[in-house]
Amino acid sequence: MSTVVSYTALTGVYTIDPAHSTIGFSVRHAVIANVRGRFGAFEGLVKLDGYQPGRSEAYLSVQTGSIDTSNPDRDIHLAGPDFLDAAAYPLMVFRSAGLADRGDGQFRLTGHLRIKDVELPLHIHLAFEGATQDESGNHRVGFSGTALVRRSDWGLGGSTPDETGGVLISDKVRLDFGLSAVRLSRSYAA
């Protein structure tokens, strides 16, 4: 079944609501389990052009020291110099470069992710989750998304071998986004 969505009413500038959004990740550990985590402090701005969705833009900054895997010792290690080095690089930043409508509320968002002092292309698969007016009268939009990255591309931690000849922590990391954004303005200025 194909769904046709009119995005023109969504045109505007939105701020990401961190209280109702998540930025998470998962990575294979010891080849047998996924370790999941999230970042607790972030902010972002989204400019939606419902007339020409490809002109839409997104900006997101994440405080690297806000990493939370429900294990304080691991969180300290991940925020430390072996991985995110939050003391030297307190933010990781994503800036969009383009948006392609793939139909049925699915999009491909391209841009650049900067972690530490390395900026590389990133492709995010986005799904439009809907739009609504909340109990305070704010207009909201929701998106979910995923992306796959390699830790080594950004110099995040080494590849410690395990006893089977594999690696203790996978180089592949899955990023997961659940974003709720509140409209600040109905206008869109590119």
Side-chain angles (χ1 to χ4, degrees), residues 54-82:
R55 291 179 11 138
S56 297
E57 301 174 32
Y59 168 84
L60 178 68
S61 68
V62 178
Q63 293 181 22
T64 55
S66 72
I67 193 166
D68 179 5
T69 64
S70 299
N71 181 314
D73 290 335
R74 179 172 48 219
D75 297 343
I76 290 168
H77 186 217
L78 292 173
D82 289 341

Side-chain angles (χ1 to χ4, degrees), residues 71-151:
N71 181 314
D73 290 335
R74 179 172 48 219
D75 297 343
I76 290 168
H77 186 217
L78 292 173
D82 289 341
F83 287 88
L84 293 168
D85 199 359
Y89 304 98
L91 295 177
M92 61 180 152
V93 175
F94 173 79
R95 293 180 195 275
S96 67
L99 180 72
D101 187 342
R102 302 177 87 175
D104 289 336
Q106 303 294 311
F107 297 87
R108 181 176 174 156
L109 181 65
T110 58
H112 291 87
L113 177 62
R114 183 176 205 59
I115 302 175
K116 294 168 100 170
D117 59 352
V118 178
E119 184 171 282
L120 295 170
L122 180 67
H123 306 282
I124 301 171
H125 301 282
L126 280 180
F128 175 64
E129 298 295 346
T132 190
Q133 186 170 349
D134 67 21
E135 65 279 358
S136 299
N138 297 311
H139 293 277
R140 289 181 176 267
V141 292
F143 292 91
S144 62
T146 61
L148 292 175
V149 298
R150 289 176 154 350
R151 292 184 302 110

